[in-house]
Amino acid sequence: MKIDVKTSGRTQMIDITSKIRQVIRESGVKDGLVHIFSLHTTAAVTINENADPAVETDILKTINKVVPWDDHFEHMEGNSAAHIKVSLFGPSETVPIENGAMVLGTWQSVFFCEFDGPRNRRVNIQIIPTQVPA
Ligand code: ZN
């Protein structure tokens, strides 16, 4: 299924963990994998720290330094920086599900990464149940 994510800045990390938890709950799947996939060429998905918002700030600060918005790119749309960032971060993450819950470390959350916002975005959530031995 797909979830909607509304972004409000050009570069932004949005914690979508609770939205994914809801999809898993509604699926009734107890054991398996959840695949979280951005349906965009200028927005990514990553897993990182949820406790200190300064971590997000530092990640975005660094990626914006590594890939500046304007660097004499050739792509006519003018958003090459966003395309490059998505290829560095990757469009998806996969998280194990045990007893109906995502297996995440204490400080881990799943973040949607906007690199050419603000926009209305969609993320595909695919839940793959695993065979439980009888
Ligand atoms: Zn483009």
Side-chain angles (χ1 to χ4, degrees), residues 42 75 77 79 83:
T42 55
H75 178 44
E77 199 188 359
N79 62 354
H83 291 296

Side-chain angles (χ1 to χ4, degrees), residues 95-108:
V95 181
I97 301 168
E98 271 179 24
N99 301 318
M102 272 190 287
V103 182
L104 288 169
T106 308
W107 310 113
Q108 286 181 314

Side-chain angles (χ1 to χ4, degrees), residues 7-12 42-43 69 79 82 113-121:
T7 65
S8 58
R10 178 184 275 174
T11 59
Q12 187 181 12
T42 55
W69 185 258
N79 62 354
C113 304
E114 175 63 80
F115 293 130
D116 189 19
R119 293 186 196 233
N120 293 316
R121 302 293 205 169

Side-chain angles (χ1 to χ4, degrees), residues 3 8 18-19 21 30 47 50 52 54 62-63 67 70 79 109 113 118 125 130 133:
I3 59 169
S8 58
S18 62
K19 289 185 175 196
R21 283 203 180 103
K30 297 298 174 202
I47 294 175
N50 58 23
D52 182 2
T62 301
I63 193 68
V67 187
D70 186 4
N79 62 354
S109 274
C113 304
I125 310 293
T130 50

